[in-house]
Amino acid sequence: MTKEEARLASKKAIAKLSSEDKEWASGAICDALSGLSEFCRAHSIFVFLGTDSEPDTEETVGLALMLERTVSVPRVHGRDMDAIVISPYTNFKRNRWNILEPVGGHKTDDIDVAIIPLVAFDGLKRVGHGGGYYDRFLSAHDCIKIGVAFDCQSVEGLCADDFDIPMDILITEKRIITRSGEVSNVFGEKL
C-alpha cells in the first residue's frame, strides 16, 4: 500500500468517527500513555497539539505540566520544526494549517519522550501528511518516539521509505504496539 493510499483510507475511516467516539478514544489513549514507564520516567516531553482528525492531547499536556515535567510543543518555521517549551500561561495562535502554536517561548533540544501524530500506521511504521516535518525533527533528536492514533487509522502492507522514522511505541484506544509485540489497551475496553 502506498503512503497516499494509506492516507486516503485512514481519512475516510476517521470521518466515520463521531465526536463522542473521538473524545472517548482520546481519553483511553491518554490513560494508556500516562501508565507507560517511558512517560512516567521522562523529565522532558514533546507533544503535538491535536486537530479534529487526531487524538486530543490536551489532557496529556495538562498531566505532564501537573507532574512538573518540561513540556514542549511544535512550532514550524520554513521546512523545519522546533520544540518550544510551554507553561500553563503560554499563549497560542493558529498557524497556516490551523494548528495551535505557542507565541513566544524558547526552543529546547532536551527531549526524553516525543508524542507524535500520524495519518496512518502499519505496526510501528508511520505515515504523516507528507511534509517530512516530524521525520526531520525526529532524526535530529535522540528520544523515545511514541505515536498516537485512532485504531481505525491502521493499514496493512504499508510501503515505507528509508527516511521514514519508525515509532518505538504506538498507542490507540484499543492496543499498545511495541517492538516486542502488541497488547490490549485496557483503558479502551467499553463497559
Side-chain angles (χ1 to χ4, degrees):
M1 175 176 279
T2 68
K3 291 181 185 179
E4 196 52 43
E5 290 169 334
R7 288 183 187 107
L8 288 172
S10 177
K11 289 176 183 178
K12 286 179 183 177
I14 291 170
K16 294 178 184 175
L17 293 176
S18 69
S19 296
E20 293 79 17
D21 286 341
K22 289 179 190 175
E23 182 179 344
W24 168 82
S26 294
I29 291 166
C30 179
D31 289 346
L33 180 61
S34 68
L36 288 179
S37 60
E38 293 85 354
F39 180 85
C40 295
R41 289 192 311 251
H43 296 287
S44 56
I45 299 169
F46 172 81
V47 59
F48 73 97
L49 300 175
T51 64
D52 287 342
S53 62
E54 299 168 327
D56 186 346
T57 57
E58 186 176 323
E59 189 176 338
T60 300
V61 169
L63 174 63
L65 288 170
M66 184 184 75
L67 294 172
E68 299 182 349
R69 304 301 196 256
T70 300
V71 179
S72 58
V73 299
R75 184 167 63 204
V76 172
H77 61 91
R79 292 195 30 83
D80 293 312
M81 185 171 68
D82 290 329
I84 306 298
V85 175
I86 64 167
S87 77
Y89 309 104
T90 299
N91 290 317
F92 294 87
K93 68 175 182 176
R94 296 205 177 269
N95 66 16
R96 65 183 177 199
W97 300 285
N98 204 30
I99 298 170
L100 287 174
E101 291 183 332
V103 175
H106 67 278
K107 175 184 169 183
T108 185
D109 287 319
D110 179 24
I111 299 169
D112 297 324
V113 168
I115 301 167
I116 308 299
L118 44 92
V119 176
F121 68 95
D122 181 357
L124 294 172
K125 291 187 281 186
R126 169 192 177 275
V127 173
H129 288 284
Y133 291 95
Y134 281 95
D135 288 319
R136 285 189 296 277
F137 179 83
L138 293 172
S139 68
H141 294 85
D142 183 22
C143 60
I144 296 168
K145 297 166 280 304
I146 303 175
V148 296
F150 300 120
D151 204 70
C152 67
Q153 293 173 259
S154 178
V155 298
E156 292 184 13
L158 179 63
C159 295
D161 293 310
D162 292 341
F163 56 80
D164 291 326
I165 306 287
M167 299 293 97
D168 297 308
I169 302 169
L170 197 134
I171 301 174
T172 76
E173 72 277 15
K174 295 184 179 179
R175 54 192 164 145
I176 301 169
I177 303 168
T178 65
R179 294 184 191 277
S180 59
E182 181 178 313
V183 297
S184 178
N185 179 353
V186 296
F187 297 104
E189 296 174 3
K190 290 186 177 181
L191 301 175

